Amino acid sequence: MHTDTERCVRAVQSKDARFDGWFFTAVRTTGIYCRPSCPAVPPKVENMTFLPSAAACQQSGYRACKRCRPDTSPGSPEWNARADTVARAVRLIQDGVVDREGVPGLASRLGYSSRQVERQLNAELGAGPLALARAQRAQTARLLIETSGLPMGDVAFAAGFSSIRTFNDTVREVFALAASELRARAEKGPRQAQVPGTISLRLPFRAPLNPDNLFGHLAATAVPGVEEWRAGAYRRTLRLPYGTGVVALSPQPDHIGCRLALTDLRDLTIAISRCRRLLDLDADPEAVDEQLSADPLLAPLVAKAPGRRVPRTVDAQEFAVRAVLGQQVSTAAARTHAARLVRALGEPVADPDPEGGLTHLFPSSQALAGLDPESLALPLSRRTTLTTLVSALADGSLPLGTDSDWDSARARLAALPGFGPWTTEIIAMRALGDPDAFIPSDLGIRRAAKGLGLPSTPAALTARAAHWRPWRAYAVQYLWATEDHAVNFLPA
């Protein structure tokens, strides 16, 4: 979008927050870059340059605006709506792959050479993988500086910097302030109350956001010991590259409150990225709702509760296992089956909240691979489906994650025994993040379609849903919301 100068200028002059994260405004005369909704007086048009990413701005020598803090804007929805190489690369960088494995590791996961990945990212984002990772480290560093009392050395380590000097140089270059000055400025303003051993922060999103089906779904399907709804927050355990964590996410009018307790602070950036993905916070609700409202039968549902998100997951492999456990059974039965696996094979963790009920991580695919099928209280066919899935996940023949190619993953899943369209599409929707995944055979969808006067047979509904593309996964949320089910209501 940054190449459409006229549209970008209109967005900046109207301070349109819908475009935050889509592009950034670099001002030649001041040497700073802003988000489109910056409250400052808009610069003259001839002094504006539009760039596609914060990393591109920083690489061009611009500093982050101290008023609008463009580094904290929601991520571009474009990267979650695409499955091409660039989008997969961005998602992997957000998940910390460059920090852990370097550019060669990123390229290897994508199946390209480092030079090809560099060229493609520069063409679309104006910055290569190292610059994108550096911008992410800078954002994490600022977050820790302003919201925690950690010593600066620990901040640098947690943000992924290799040395204190690099940390200091980057912070000064990107924010035009020393790390100590950033902390001093933050201490003058209102700060979130910090619980010892936790990091509290705000996760931004594009308005509107309807939390009902988002948190309602997560709470209604929560696996005991791994997830819970308590004190107005969805809480769950996290398996992370360097350790484990517990997160509490609570919906607020203009942000999502996030409290993280981590065993290794190097996991902070990855944990934030996965929480944003879980809650679909980088979505563009205006674009989604505009498309769906064009259908006169869906329009009243959208107008009644705009901004519905797709509840996703922090671990694609975990969700795939849970999808199989949920085949043709109730939500309560699926939770029971999953809870048995957790008690038998889950890794114990300590809940930082003494009143909390989180006790385990969901079992890894390697742990589940050693499961005795006879111990499963499932029909024989379902046992075969589960054990085949787990074996494929454990040996790497079925890669599921942020870097998955959606079509390839669908084909691999469909080849497994017991995987029909419903299971394949629900995994594509919630685990892989495909915004166009669609499940016309779902009983709730068929009932909702019939009640609205839409075709209720899978083939006919799929044909009608062609008008909802590429946002059919969001249409599913609006159709589900017509039913009186716990997944559609924010828990008390």
Side-chain angles (χ1 to χ4, degrees):
M1 176 182 171
H2 70 288
T3 57
D4 188 342
T5 302
E6 185 178 340
R7 189 179 181 194
C8 289
V9 168
R10 288 200 305 269
V12 171
Q13 291 179 337
S14 62
K15 304 184 187 299
D16 197 332
R18 292 178 301 171
F19 295 97
D20 287 353
W22 276 102
F23 69 91
F24 296 84
T25 307
V27 186
R28 299 188 189 95
T29 50
T30 62
I32 65 172
Y33 70 96
C34 303
R35 62 171 78 194
S37 64
C38 182
V41 176
K44 294 180 179 179
V45 175
E46 60 266 26
N47 294 330
M48 297 184 195
T49 297
F50 302 110
L51 296 171
S53 66
C57 295
Q58 294 166 18
Q59 191 165 261
S60 299
Y62 292 95
R63 305 184 309 275
C65 174
K66 296 174 184 176
R67 292 191 65 181
C68 69
R69 301 179 56 168
D71 55 302
T72 63
S73 62
S76 172
E78 188 173 6
W79 313 124
N80 287 340
R82 290 167 43 180
D84 56 31
T85 303
V86 171
R88 291 164 60 204
V90 170
R91 292 197 289 269
L92 284 169
I93 292 169
Q94 291 171 344
D95 206 47
V97 167
V98 170
D99 290 334
R100 296 193 304 274
E101 303 174 20
V103 177
L106 172 67
S108 176
R109 287 183 179 233
L110 295 170
Y112 288 89
S113 69
S114 298
R115 182 176 297 180
Q116 287 175 307
V117 172
E118 184 94 28
R119 184 170 61 248
Q120 291 186 53
L121 287 173
N122 270 300
E124 289 211 39
L125 286 156
L130 289 176
L132 291 166
R134 177 179 181 265
Q136 184 165 273
R137 286 194 295 272
Q139 180 182 353
T140 303
R142 181 173 191 163
L143 180 68
L144 286 171
I145 290 167
E146 295 182 338
T147 64
S148 77
L150 289 172
M152 292 303 177
D154 291 346
V155 170
F157 173 73
F161 288 95
S162 58
S163 70
I164 299 292
R165 180 175 180 177
T166 304
F167 159 74
N168 285 329
D169 290 347
T170 300
V171 169
R172 188 178 291 278
E173 180 182 340
V174 172
F175 305 115
L177 290 169
S180 57
E181 292 174 308
L182 275 177
R183 178 161 286 175
R185 285 168 60 93
E187 288 173 348
K188 292 179 182 178
R191 299 184 69 186
Q192 288 183 277
Q194 297 287 329
V195 177
T198 68
I199 296 171
S200 297
L201 54 135
R202 296 182 174 200
L203 303 182
F205 56 77
R206 290 178 185 81
L209 181 144
N210 188 316
D212 294 0
N213 74 299
L214 182 59
F215 286 92
H217 206 118
L218 294 173
T221 59
V223 177
V226 175
E227 304 165 286
E228 68 174 0
W229 177 270
R230 197 175 67 78
Y234 166 75
R235 305 178 72 240
R236 73 154 292 150
T237 59
L238 301 170
R239 184 188 303 279
L240 298 163
Y242 296 106
T244 63
V246 170
V247 65
L249 299 162
S250 55
Q252 305 297 330
D254 61 350
H255 68 276
I256 299 295
C258 175
R259 294 193 311 277
L260 278 164
L262 304 171
T263 59
D264 192 317
L265 282 175
R266 288 178 295 176
D267 284 322
L268 178 63
T269 302
I270 298 101
I272 293 172
S273 174
R274 292 183 184 180
C275 290
R276 294 192 63 81
R277 187 168 177 80
L278 169 72
L279 301 181
D280 197 17
L281 296 186
D282 290 329
D284 184 355
E286 294 276 353
V288 172
D289 290 352
E290 181 181 3
Q291 177 77 13
L292 299 183
S293 294
D295 188 315
L297 296 182
L298 282 187
L301 302 181
V302 176
K304 180 181 178 181
R308 292 194 184 275
R309 300 299 207 269
V310 178
R312 296 211 165 106
T313 182
V314 295
D315 187 325
Q317 295 193 11
E318 172 191 316
F319 185 83
V321 172
R322 292 172 61 172
V324 170
L325 294 176
Q327 288 177 335
Q328 300 177 352
V329 297
S330 67
T331 299
R335 293 178 65 201
T336 299
H337 290 315
R340 288 172 181 160
L341 289 182
V342 168
R343 288 193 298 270
L345 299 169
E347 180 182 332
V349 296
D351 192 330
D353 187 335
E355 298 181 4
L358 303 181
T359 58
H360 292 81
L361 297 174
F362 194 86
S364 67
S365 55
Q366 288 74 22
L368 290 170
L371 180 68
D372 178 8
E374 297 299 322
S375 66
L376 297 171
L378 298 172
L380 179 59
S381 60
R382 194 81 47 77
R383 292 185 212 169
T384 302
T385 300
L386 182 62
T387 54
T388 306
L389 168 66
V390 168
S391 296
L393 293 173
D395 66 20
S397 60
L398 176 61
L400 294 180
T402 56
D403 57 330
S404 294
D405 177 274
W406 297 334
D407 291 337
S408 175
R410 277 185 172 92
R412 291 173 184 265
L413 288 168
L416 298 178
F419 271 76
W422 183 91
T423 309
T424 300
E425 287 300 305
I426 200 72
I427 292 173
M429 179 191 299
R430 296 194 55 197
L432 305 183
D434 184 352
D436 201 39
F438 192 51
I439 45 175
S441 61
D442 180 80
L443 182 59
I445 296 299
R446 295 176 66 181
R447 285 201 297 256
K450 185 176 181 180
L452 291 172
L454 290 163
S456 57
T457 62
L461 184 57
T462 299
R464 174 61 182 271
H467 300 292
W468 307 339
R469 305 191 76 166
W471 310 118
R472 292 184 300 176
Y474 295 87
V476 167
Q477 310 309 312
Y478 283 105
L479 292 173
W480 270 339
T482 62
E483 295 211 311
D484 185 19
H485 192 287
V487 298
N488 295 316
F489 301 99
L490 189 68

